[in-house]
Amino acid sequence: MPDPAAAALQFFRDRFAIDPAVTSTLLSVALSRGGDFAELYFEHRTNSAITWEDQHVRSATRTVSQGLGVRVVRGEAIGYAYTESFDMEAMRRAAETAARISAGERTPPPIDATPFLVGTSHYDFDHPLVAEPAAAKVALLERADRAARSYDPSIARLDASIGDELKYILIARSDGKLIGDVQPLIRFNVSALSQRGESRQVARQGGGGRMGIEYFEQVTTPEQLAREAARQAVLQQDAAEAPAGTLPVVLAAGDSGVLLHEAVGHGLEADFNRKGTSNYTGRIGQPVASPLVTVVDDGTIAASRGSINVDDEGNPSGRNVLIENGILRGYLQDEISSRHFGVAPSGSGRRQSFKDYVMPRMTNTFMLPGEDTPEDIIRSVDRGIYAVSYSGGQVNISNGDFVFSVTEAYLIENGRITTPLKNVMLIGNGPDVLSKVTRVANDYRLSDGRWTCGKDGQSVPVGVGMPTVLVSGITVGGTKL
Amino acid sequence: MTSRATEGISALELARRAVQLARRAGAHQCDAIVVTGSESTVTVRLGEIEKLIEAGSIGLGLRVIQHGRTAICATSDLAPAALERFAEETVELAGISAPDEFAGLPDPSLYGRPGDAAPLGLYDERIEALTADEKISLARACEAAALAADPRITNTDGATLSTRVGEVALANSLGFEGSYPATSISLAAEAIADDAEGKKRPGYWFSAERSLSRLGDPEEVGRIAARRAVDQLGARKPATTRVPVVFEPMMAVSLLAHLAACATGDALYRGATFLAGREGQPLASPLVTIVDDPLLPGRFGTRPFDGEGVATRRNILVESGTFRGFLFDCYTARRLGRASTGSAVRGLESAPAPSSSNLVLQPGALAPAALLRDTPRGLYVTALMGAGFNPATGDYSRGAAGFWIEDGQLAYPVTEVNISGNLADMLAGIDAVADDLAWFGAAAAPTIRIREMTVSGT
């Protein structure tokens, strides 16, 4: 496999005649009115999807999106413009527009573009799913449909989709750095309907990663994903109303990492801390969690949905320890924030597309395993909740208040997992919950690639992970008093 | 007007050209949507410009239906040769799909009259004429007012002014052609107050409109954001209980959105709505009437024709408590043996699907202060979090913040609570509807009270 940066550079040169001479010219234009720093972000993205509905292919879609985003930074202010055309005149106009954040005039500095290499890629981009024949993808959808229907007679319908993306990015910076990446991404979604008389339950499941078709052999199968959705839909038919009030909660390994992502991760993004709008502002070196808690954001995990070789400012991704044994160690940094804090960028500058400005974002965020076993943790709870899978969550960054919708949860009674529960919400405060982590198990797991993170209207793919953890008390939003 | 992004070719001409190219490539039926826009965003924080964003964009979505087989492709590369290849690829892609007898373009007798857009008030030339400096001053005035409103406001996340000037065009192979220009402007501010133990209380407010004259006073937007932050100082978690819950208008709007998502032909044929089989039956309290009206002038959901070219019309969802029916596009209508309600919404990259336009919960006669006075004890909700709503069952459970009501008054702020129930029970349990109708984007509602919900706290 070639170096991803070399592959991206070659792609833009061969297809659009974008070479170091072009990027240097445009960067000079971007800095022609002053500004400390400028960057060009070229993107070419192909998405395709096949949608399966109730035993047939409902539609096939394909989208090609391409463009250039130009950013000029002056202090902590940014000027941003984009164009969907790689025509030199259009690109020059975008650079001129972004330059307006500065009001001065000066002779544009010459830019000496230097191509960088990434080294080893964290994912295989040479065999993307986008290159596979449609029939192979349809066969995967058929397999999912059959598996869901044979799981239980109440499964009345299976909807599914298979989606793939192949994204080439090239970043040219005014410090001369020229680097790129090729990012494949696949996603398989299933939604199963269980119907018993008038009682309907829909459950969703999904997975994927930065892989090709081998995902369906190496990680999971369409049958497994479909059966899992069917199982959850059937389970919900018999689930009981959840209790309301504050209870001990055991967070299961894997998907529970989304709680960490929302409740803590966002508050550790450096932009909020630079502006003083996060509850973690000014707390580096201080205890912010139980000593059992170590939280890491790692963009280098092989083939994971949240991984990137370089971030969208051209900095290599890395493994960043955010909280170590309960002590806050650092924030997720992009260029602007790292300059503000006088630290190195952490490879966390991400954006949804060339139309969007960069912000510090998470990649794969997880808690490191501890010493306990999951069985011991569950046995230690007299009455509580066992939370397994989630449909989503939301956090108020400035104070850490969060909510989560739990799609699979059980009551724990006398140390045993008993009744399945429906409509479980967990509501609380991030720092408060992390201080109440009383046991951490040794069964760390990264979730399958199904999570997308939203911030300021921009979505990026992320990974989450977690060992089984006991939180001594979280407010459970049920209906039963 | 807005065709500058397309280098001298109008959006409608591009849509027409894509349809012709697809026909030439062998398409049986097809339609093309073109969306163009010039966007700008200005953020001012602590008096300084933080972001200046400006760009024009254009996108084309092509749907090809080959004897029931559907493909949808989108592109922003509109050079003639690229568009020709794109049309051919879309026709070829349709071969992957299975034939579906319900797929197809609308019957031409349903078409809207595209000439009728002007009275709908979707376009304001004053937004297009705003200069960068004017936009900066609006954002600056808003943020300054938030900071000055109260000494306890110690920080802000800035004030952001965004504008969009665009055009939507749709053409199909059965002769429909239509386009209309549209503008929008929004101003939003977030003010932050410091509470005990380092907790921060953010307050958010916004105004979003299609014309400059309707935009809220920038200083007022800033002051409301500040007040909402300060109001939450000292917020606590109440005990778990069952009480009446009052939704301020912005929160009542979120209930409308949940209901509307369940009232579509799409949710109905998928078996994914608790409203299945309830047409013509009592659903909500007799105090409740909910209308979906795409013909109200100057609103975000306003449109002269829908995403398939069908004429738009006012649809009553709930009339004095009775559920009147679902919203349909052509596909879901055919599939379920109904008629399109002109409710197709369409993105560039996705198939048309039925969705609401402007949702209005009709106001009652009660002043909101009287509604409150009549509530001895309960929760007054000003913020909701999370996505805890299940359309298939109507089960509802969301994080909330607001005020505790004691003796008919807002007694103290509360946070980190959860409210839960079932949307059907909640609608039936609405026992007061105030007269203070307020718009938020494409929906409007007054203050309402639900007789009883479970509130989870300590």
Side-chain angles (χ1 to χ4, degrees):
Chain A
M1 197 165 56
D3 184 277
L9 190 61
Q10 186 186 351
F11 175 84
F12 283 100
R13 192 181 51 221
D14 292 355
R15 177 110 48 133
F16 303 108
I18 292 161
D19 59 18
V22 168
T23 61
S24 296
T25 304
L26 292 171
L27 284 166
S28 292
V29 174
L31 287 180
S32 60
R33 293 161 69 101
D36 309 327
F37 177 81
E39 141 222 281
L40 312 173
Y41 178 83
F42 298 89
E43 178 186 359
H44 183 277
R45 182 169 57 84
T46 307
N47 286 84
S48 69
I50 300 175
T51 306
W52 178 270
E53 256 186 43
D54 200 16
Q55 307 188 67
H56 72 280
V57 173
R58 162 91 191 265
S59 67
T61 62
R62 183 179 152 91
T63 300
V64 177
S65 164
Q66 64 184 45
L68 161 69
V70 185
R71 180 173 69 151
V72 177
V73 179
R74 181 177 54 85
E76 294 183 7
I78 64 162
Y80 200 86
Y82 60 83
T83 171
E84 286 155 328
S85 167
F86 289 137
D87 172 75
M88 192 63 190
E89 268 324 292
M91 294 194 291
R92 185 189 291 273
R93 273 200 302 277
E96 283 165 357
T97 304
R100 283 188 216 140
I101 193 72
S102 284
E105 261 190 54
R106 68 168 179 194
T107 312
I111 311 286
D112 186 15
T114 313
F116 275 57
L117 293 180
V118 160
T120 311
S121 177
H122 304 307
Y123 29 82
D124 175 7
F125 54 84
D126 255 2
H127 306 89
L129 189 60
V130 76
E132 299 289 338
K137 300 181 201 175
V138 172
L140 295 167
L141 294 163
E142 281 166 350
R143 283 168 56 189
D145 189 272
R146 275 198 303 274
R149 279 164 198 284
S150 58
Y151 178 82
D152 188 271
S154 78
I155 299 299
R157 180 185 175 94
L158 184 89
D159 292 347
S161 67
I162 182 167
D164 53 62
E165 174 175 300
L166 186 63
K167 185 159 103 172
Y168 291 85
I169 60 170
L170 183 70
I171 299 125
R173 306 163 24 138
S174 56
D175 62 6
K177 189 174 193 181
L178 185 61
I179 194 163
D181 196 9
V182 189
Q183 300 172 344
L185 189 64
I186 69 168
R187 174 76 190 242
F188 194 85
N189 286 331
V190 289
S191 161
L193 168 72
S194 162
Q195 183 151 14
R196 286 187 194 161
E198 284 305 296
S199 168
R200 295 179 194 84
Q201 291 288 349
V202 176
R204 297 185 172 79
Q205 194 54 249
R210 297 209 184 275
M211 303 181 77
I213 204 159
E214 74 280 6
Y215 166 81
F216 300 99
E217 287 167 11
Q218 294 174 6
V219 179
T220 186
T221 61
E223 286 85 356
Q224 264 178 324
L225 289 166
R227 275 196 296 264
E228 183 56 23
R231 184 185 69 78
Q232 288 198 21
V234 173
L235 188 75
Q236 286 297 309
Q237 291 280 15
D238 300 318
E241 293 290 335
T246 301
L247 289 169
V249 175
V250 177
L251 304 169
D255 271 333
S256 299
V258 70
L259 197 126
L260 202 62
H261 172 106
E262 290 293 340
V264 191
H266 280 295
L268 298 177
E269 290 165 343
D271 48 350
F272 300 119
N273 292 287
R274 160 168 72 81
K275 298 177 194 178
T277 57
S278 162
N279 54 321
Y280 291 109
T281 301
R283 298 189 63 187
I284 288 192
Q286 295 177 16
V288 294
S290 146
L292 299 171
V293 172
T294 294
V295 179
V296 173
D297 185 86
D298 188 348
T300 71
I301 297 172
S304 175
R305 178 172 166 85
S307 294
I308 46 180
N309 286 320
V310 294
D311 73 2
D312 296 330
E313 298 177 302
N315 292 310
S317 60
R319 183 177 191 277
N320 298 296
V321 178
L322 303 174
I323 296 173
E324 188 176 18
N325 303 324
I327 307 294
L328 180 59
R329 290 295 175 212
Y331 302 129
L332 293 166
Q333 302 283 355
D334 64 356
E335 282 283 343
I336 292 185
S337 294
S338 68
R339 282 162 201 232
H340 174 94
F341 286 106
V343 298
S346 59
S348 310
R350 302 184 69 186
R351 57 180 123 203
Q352 178 175 304
S353 78
F354 66 91
K355 295 184 179 178
D356 302 293
Y357 51 87
V358 168
M359 292 181 282
R361 302 294 294 263
M362 286 170 262
T363 57
N364 304 295
T365 313
F366 48 89
M367 186 186 288
L368 294 190
E371 309 278 317
D372 269 311
T373 66
E375 296 77 19
D376 283 346
I377 290 178
I378 288 159
R379 261 198 295 275
S380 74
V381 177
D382 278 344
R383 184 164 184 276
I385 302 287
Y386 182 57
V388 182
S389 61
Y390 307 78
S391 63
Q394 191 182 342
V395 66
N396 181 330
I397 306 290
S398 54
N399 57 31
D401 289 353
F402 67 76
V403 296
F404 287 91
S405 315
V406 191
T407 48
E408 183 178 356
Y410 302 83
L411 204 57
I412 303 177
E413 293 169 296
N414 303 318
R416 289 178 43 231
I417 293 170
T418 59
T419 319
L421 300 173
K422 62 180 176 184
N423 307 323
V424 174
M425 295 289 284
L426 300 179
I427 174 150
N429 177 268
D432 179 54
V433 162
L434 279 200
S435 72
K436 289 180 178 161
V437 170
T438 50
R439 302 182 79 162
V440 178
N442 53 13
D443 59 342
Y444 163 78
R445 222 174 58 225
L446 189 70
S447 163
D448 195 0
R450 67 173 67 101
W451 293 101
T452 297
C453 169
K455 175 177 171 183
D456 258 16
Q458 293 191 41
S459 296
V460 296
V462 295
V464 301
M466 191 91 163
T468 299
V469 158
L470 173 63
V471 182
S472 58
I474 305 184
T475 298
V476 178
T479 46
K480 210 168 134 195
L481 294 191
Chain B
M1 194 154 32
T2 54
S3 54
R4 60 173 170 235
T6 65
E7 322 241 333
I9 304 167
S10 74
L12 185 57
E13 177 57 34
L14 270 169
R16 192 183 289 143
R17 191 179 286 179
V19 167
Q20 284 163 357
L21 289 169
R23 291 281 289 160
R24 205 177 298 157
H28 174 223
Q29 285 195 332
C30 60
D31 63 2
I33 183 169
V34 173
V35 178
T36 69
S38 305
E39 295 145 6
S40 78
T41 297
V42 174
T43 300
V44 171
R45 184 171 170 270
L46 303 180
E48 301 287 329
I49 297 168
E50 185 183 82
K51 274 188 227 109
L52 273 183
I53 305 173
E54 210 179 295
S57 67
I58 182 162
L60 183 145
L62 177 65
R63 174 173 64 152
V64 166
I65 306 166
Q66 286 303 72
H67 307 286
R69 299 172 189 267
T70 302
I72 293 157
C73 291
T75 183
S76 55
D77 188 354
L78 302 172
L83 201 57
E84 193 173 336
R85 204 168 49 242
F86 167 79
E88 288 164 3
E89 282 170 6
T90 310
V91 172
E92 192 185 310
L93 191 64
I96 295 175
S97 304
D100 185 335
E101 58 182 309
F102 307 113
L105 296 176
D107 185 295
S109 67
L110 301 174
Y111 288 168
R113 282 168 301 166
D116 296 352
L120 292 179
L122 295 172
Y123 174 78
D124 176 14
E125 60 192 14
R126 288 177 64 200
I127 291 176
E128 194 162 8
L130 276 178
T131 65
D133 284 344
E134 285 169 324
K135 293 173 193 172
I136 292 164
S137 356
L138 287 170
R140 193 166 264 154
C142 177
E143 204 231 1
L147 277 168
D150 193 296
R152 290 169 292 177
I153 298 298
T154 51
N155 197 353
T156 86
D157 198 31
T160 296
L161 184 100
S162 299
T163 63
R164 187 169 196 285
V165 179
E167 187 171 14
V168 180
L170 181 73
N172 76 22
S173 59
L174 293 179
F176 179 83
E177 288 190 357
S179 69
Y180 56 91
T183 49
S184 63
I185 183 162
S186 70
L187 180 60
E190 186 171 310
I192 297 169
D194 279 318
D195 210 337
E197 295 166 8
K199 254 204 154 185
K200 293 174 195 298
R201 303 291 178 193
Y204 173 80
W205 198 245
F206 75 101
S207 170
E209 296 290 346
R210 291 212 173 270
S211 59
L212 186 59
S213 59
R214 267 190 172 161
L215 187 73
D217 171 44
E219 297 185 7
E220 183 69 8
V221 171
R223 277 193 297 268
I224 295 175
R227 195 194 70 219
R228 290 174 75 88
V230 169
D231 275 353
Q232 283 292 303
L233 287 170
R236 36 186 152 138
K237 191 184 270 214
T240 300
T241 182
R242 246 194 274 271
V243 284
V245 177
V246 178
F247 290 73
E248 67 168 13
M250 186 162 67
M251 298 300 110
V253 153
S254 70
L255 297 181
L256 293 186
H258 291 315
L259 179 74
C262 298
T264 68
D266 206 64
L268 183 60
Y269 89 75
R270 289 172 200 272
T273 170
F274 76 101
L275 293 173
R278 294 204 186 194
E279 279 166 292
Q281 292 182 17
L283 171 71
S285 133
L287 299 172
V288 175
T289 293
I290 299 169
V291 175
D292 183 55
D293 192 351
L295 298 171
L296 289 173
R299 298 297 174 189
F300 271 88
T302 305
R303 46 197 182 235
F305 50 87
D306 78 355
E308 296 178 291
V310 173
T312 45
R313 64 171 214 209
R314 183 172 186 265
N315 293 296
I316 299 176
L317 295 179
V318 178
E319 187 173 18
S320 303
T322 302
F323 177 53
R324 283 294 169 218
F326 293 85
L327 301 172
F328 296 100
D329 65 348
C330 287
Y331 178 81
T332 60
R334 281 192 200 107
R335 193 164 167 146
L336 294 160
R338 310 297 184 88
S340 168
T341 56
S343 304
V345 167
R346 168 150 186 210
L348 295 178
E349 306 172 16
S350 54
S355 181
S356 60
S357 58
N358 297 304
L359 281 171
V360 183
L361 171 57
Q362 304 290 348
L366 195 61
L371 184 153
L372 199 59
R373 262 200 311 277
D374 184 42
T375 313
R377 185 164 170 270
L379 177 68
Y380 184 91
V381 179
T382 61
L384 286 164
M385 281 177 87
F389 175 64
N390 183 337
T393 60
D395 288 334
Y396 178 98
S397 185
R398 296 190 72 187
F403 299 90
W404 201 251
I405 305 170
E406 293 284 0
D407 302 324
Q409 291 185 337
L410 303 182
Y412 54 86
V414 295
T415 188
E416 282 184 63
V417 299
N418 190 87
I419 56 172
S420 56
N422 180 279
L423 189 59
D425 300 336
M426 290 160 66
L427 290 167
I430 293 176
D431 64 358
V433 177
D435 62 2
D436 55 341
L437 185 80
W439 279 90
F440 299 91
T447 302
I448 59 169
R449 184 180 62 210
I450 292 172
R451 194 183 299 123
E452 191 176 81
M453 292 183 73
T454 302
V455 176
S456 312
T458 56

